[in-house]
Amino acid sequence: MSFSLYVEVLIQGVLSGLVYGLMALGLSVIFGVVRVVNFAHGEFAVLAMYCAFVLFGLAGVDPIIASIPLAIAFFVLGYAMQRGMVQPFVTRPQHEQFILLVGVALVITNGLLLVFGPESKHVDLPYSFDSYTVAGVLIDKVRVYGAAAALAVTAALFAFFRFTSTGTAIRASADNLTGAAVVGLDVKRLYAISFGLGLACVGAAGSIMMALTDMTPMLAPSLTLLAFTIVIVGGLGSMTGALAGGLLIGVAEAVASLVVSPAIKSMVSFGLLVLVLALRPQGLFGKAES
Amino acid sequence: MLSVESLDLFYGDAQALSGVTLDVPEGEIVAIVGANGAGKTSLIRAIAGMLKPAAGRVFYKGADITGLDSHRVCNLGVGQVAEGRQVFPTLTVRENLAMGGLLPRARARKTGNMERMLELFPRLRERLTQAAGTLSGGEQQMLAIARCLMGEPDLVMFDEPSLGLSPALANDVLDTIVDLNRKGLSCLLVEQNVAASLEIAKHAYVLENGSITLSGQGSQLLADDRVRQAYLGM
Ligand SMILES: Nc1ncnc2c1ncn2[C@@H]1O[C@H](COP(=O)(O)OP(=O)(O)O)[C@@H](O)[C@H]1O
Ligand SMILES: [Mg+2]
């Protein structure tokens, strides 16, 4: 195999990794702030994929463009879900939170099966098979666009947390919940915004993924698992970790597909997961429990 | 200004407060004295809306604030310098102060208030871009007080503000509280240094196992044999 093929696969891995990373970022934000694990994360990604599929079918909207309105719509959905459904569970035992979100996951998957059936769907974009050639290396155009969109959404989220007072207040509540109540932050509102932002990430990521892969409702559990793997490898609750984990898993899967076979993809990411858990249980960017 | 009437509070089945009644008149320092586990922190958190009382009422400036969410209570002007300081450790000193100034009642004057706080506590100015978790205990206590004042409170509840500080720093903190009170701030003070807090308090209450057992002028309690034996070791 030629050297340029390796470079090509490495780049593909990075590009997919950015989209994975955005999806995982959503899981990380929700857990990091609200301390609830979104067990329906992959289902929301698939829901976003179907939304993008429908938007493409009805109005010809490019799924990569649709990632912006879908991020906004999923923000509203997440905000409402936290306010109306998840908030009362925040102080309940973890197994009850688990049941709630697994319930949500089942409703989404079965709803999609009911409406769209189990066949796999994809969209044909005019530039689906175009590619750039840089120094003899071939890069898919659609992956470049997708990664650019994912990067833009990620950057916007980081900027929000860093530079706005609401973003700082969310970091404050994640940092010290008692302190947040003491200074009079409206924690429930901040939780709702955080859940909204988490779903905005997965909404955008799902929409972008629709441009890159085929999809069926049954894809959801493997996406949930993927997001978990990334977040745990990167470090639970760390935003940088989610991004780095996404890149790492993206590259590892791409390289494994090339060197061994595409069938071994998941095995490699779980192998990485086990390795990280054994050597650095808090994840690459996580803080050790004191 | 603040009055608490027959407050009961439970943690599950365990009763932490029973029938607590007390008053903080405007412009005064009122002290609460009590052993560890007496319920002082629980009382402050119940007033602040962080814990929901099972029975009883809390009035502030004549309005019933019982059971109101904590951010609403804060926005009415009831501030808190909490036990253990409760700063945001990974946020910078500036960000910590800004969080105190987010209350709608004070938000418009955030920049000016921040400047006033940095004049009041010059040490914080040197540390503005440092993470609050890296400050010393004394600096964190100053930050907790400054952060609270950013919300322009009319009443502040101080929960063991000198805990873990050197005697000199502890004195500084108490001096600061007396100063703030002179400028018009009403204070509810819980302090492990019982003698010092009774000296600066006009009125004081003794809390034992969740009930008020004794109350009177600070100087009176300071002379009371039961108080001297139980809290002053005399
Ligand atoms: N979160 C909690 N859950 C259960 N019991 C608590 C909790 N916090 C305090 N308590 C109990 O309530 C009582 C009063 O505690 P606290 O208000 O912290 O007292 P103080 O501040 O006077 O030391 C103690 O018996 C304590 O063990
Ligand atoms: Mg206490």
Side-chain angles (χ1 to χ4, degrees):
Chain A
M1 268 179 281
S2 72
F3 176 72
S4 71
L5 188 58
Y6 277 101
V7 176
E8 217 171 284
V9 165
L10 208 67
I11 291 173
Q12 304 276 16
V14 168
L15 296 177
S16 323
L18 284 168
V19 183
Y20 291 168
L22 175 59
M23 176 178 73
L25 197 56
L27 187 66
S28 188
V29 166
I30 294 172
F31 178 77
V33 181
V34 189
R35 296 273 142 192
V36 166
V37 178
N38 181 18
F39 286 98
H41 208 67
E43 282 72 10
F44 280 108
V46 169
L47 183 63
M49 290 173 98
Y50 273 92
C51 291
F53 176 74
V54 169
L55 279 173
F56 181 78
L58 291 181
V61 185
D62 184 325
I64 292 172
I65 309 272
S67 65
I68 304 301
L70 280 179
I72 295 168
F74 272 60
F75 173 84
V76 175
L77 176 66
Y79 188 98
M81 233 182 90
Q82 173 67 25
R83 279 271 163 168
M85 194 166 74
V86 182
Q87 182 60 44
F89 282 79
V90 166
T91 48
R92 306 258 283 266
Q94 272 171 1
H95 64 268
E96 292 181 24
Q97 302 171 356
F98 174 75
I99 299 288
L100 174 74
L101 286 150
V102 167
V104 170
L106 289 174
V107 168
I108 293 175
T109 302
N110 288 295
L112 290 174
L113 278 171
L114 205 66
V115 177
F116 296 97
E119 306 81 26
S120 93
K121 303 265 196 283
H122 74 279
V123 298
D124 287 313
L125 293 168
Y127 56 90
S128 275
F129 299 103
D130 294 358
S131 51
Y132 297 108
T133 315
V134 183
V137 176
L138 230 61
I139 309 162
D140 296 345
K141 205 169 182 179
V142 64
R143 284 189 191 280
V144 173
Y145 286 7
L151 204 56
V153 175
T154 306
L157 193 71
F158 272 76
F160 170 80
F161 279 117
R162 180 63 46 202
F163 300 116
T164 69
S165 54
T166 304
T168 310
I170 291 175
R171 281 191 287 132
S173 328
D175 218 12
N176 180 350
L177 193 55
T178 306
V182 162
V183 298
L185 298 180
D186 185 349
V187 173
K188 284 180 189 162
R189 177 175 155 268
L190 296 173
Y191 276 11
I193 294 174
S194 303
F195 208 101
L197 290 172
L199 285 203
C201 289
V202 77
S207 186
I208 295 168
M209 282 192 274
M210 191 67 239
L212 306 178
T213 55
D214 293 359
M215 154 281 307
T216 83
M218 305 320 285
L219 198 63
S222 66
L223 286 179
T224 301
L225 222 51
L226 178 66
F228 269 76
T229 309
I230 290 171
V231 162
I232 292 170
V233 165
L236 216 55
S238 157
M239 290 178 52
T240 322
L243 210 60
L247 288 175
L248 192 63
I249 299 279
V251 169
E253 287 196 347
V255 170
S257 307
L258 176 70
V259 178
V260 191
S261 109
I264 206 172
K265 259 169 57 170
S266 319
M267 218 178 96
V268 168
S269 34
F270 289 125
L272 242 135
L273 175 68
V274 170
L275 200 69
V276 166
L277 283 179
L279 299 179
R280 199 177 150 81
Q282 72 270 34
L284 298 177
F285 286 79
K287 276 185 292 245
E289 293 280 326
S290 48
Chain B
M1 171 164 249
L2 176 80
S3 56
V4 175
E5 291 177 7
S6 317
L7 211 63
D8 286 355
L9 182 86
F10 290 83
Y11 292 106
D13 289 334
Q15 186 155 12
L17 298 174
S18 54
V20 172
T21 296
L22 65 81
D23 256 299
V24 183
E26 184 154 9
E28 286 190 12
I29 299 180
V30 170
I32 299 175
V33 170
N36 257 341
K40 306 179 296 292
T41 299
S42 304
L43 174 60
I44 285 180
R45 292 194 171 169
I47 295 169
M50 292 163 68
L51 298 169
K52 305 295 172 209
R57 297 263 144 239
V58 180
F59 294 93
Y60 177 68
K61 290 182 178 169
D64 189 344
I65 60 164
T66 323
L68 224 54
D69 278 345
S70 52
H71 67 276
R72 296 193 194 285
V73 176
C74 277
N75 197 44
L76 290 172
V78 181
Q80 189 187 158
V81 175
E83 185 175 59
R85 298 160 199 141
Q86 308 295 346
V87 299
F88 304 118
T90 71
L91 268 57
T92 64
V93 167
R94 185 197 295 280
E95 286 172 333
N96 267 272
L97 290 173
M99 290 301 100
L102 274 187
L103 287 176
R105 75 193 316 264
R107 203 172 185 151
R109 290 171 299 284
K110 196 164 95 181
T111 320
N113 284 339
M114 176 111 51
E115 194 48 42
R116 277 199 309 123
M117 287 310 122
L118 297 178
E119 268 157 35
L120 197 58
F121 302 104
R123 285 296 286 274
L124 295 181
R125 196 190 293 278
E126 299 162 26
R127 305 260 184 275
L128 265 180
T129 55
Q130 216 169 304
T134 65
L135 302 187
S136 71
E139 290 166 344
Q140 284 192 16
Q141 193 61 62
M142 289 175 200
L143 177 58
I145 295 174
R147 185 182 66 174
C148 170
L149 296 177
M150 286 291 293
E152 302 182 351
D154 300 320
L155 167 79
V156 173
M157 304 186 282
F158 292 91
D159 195 348
E160 314 227 15
S162 70
L163 192 69
L165 302 187
S166 72
L169 276 176
N171 255 331
D172 284 352
V173 167
L174 290 182
D175 286 347
T176 304
I177 293 172
V178 172
D179 266 354
L180 291 169
N181 173 252
R182 287 217 183 95
K183 289 178 197 152
L185 187 73
S186 312
C187 302
L188 182 63
L189 174 65
V190 167
E191 178 49 56
Q192 24 127 239
N193 186 343
V194 171
S197 74
L198 290 181
E199 269 165 31
I200 64 174
K202 186 135 186 198
H203 207 86
Y205 295 85
V206 176
L207 190 64
E208 280 175 15
N209 294 320
S211 307
I212 303 282
T213 52
L214 207 61
S215 74
Q217 307 250 293
S219 51
Q220 260 173 4
L221 291 195
L222 204 51
D224 190 287
D225 279 344
R226 286 164 293 179
V227 173
R228 292 170 74 88
Q229 264 177 15
Y231 303 106
L232 301 173
M234 293 186 233

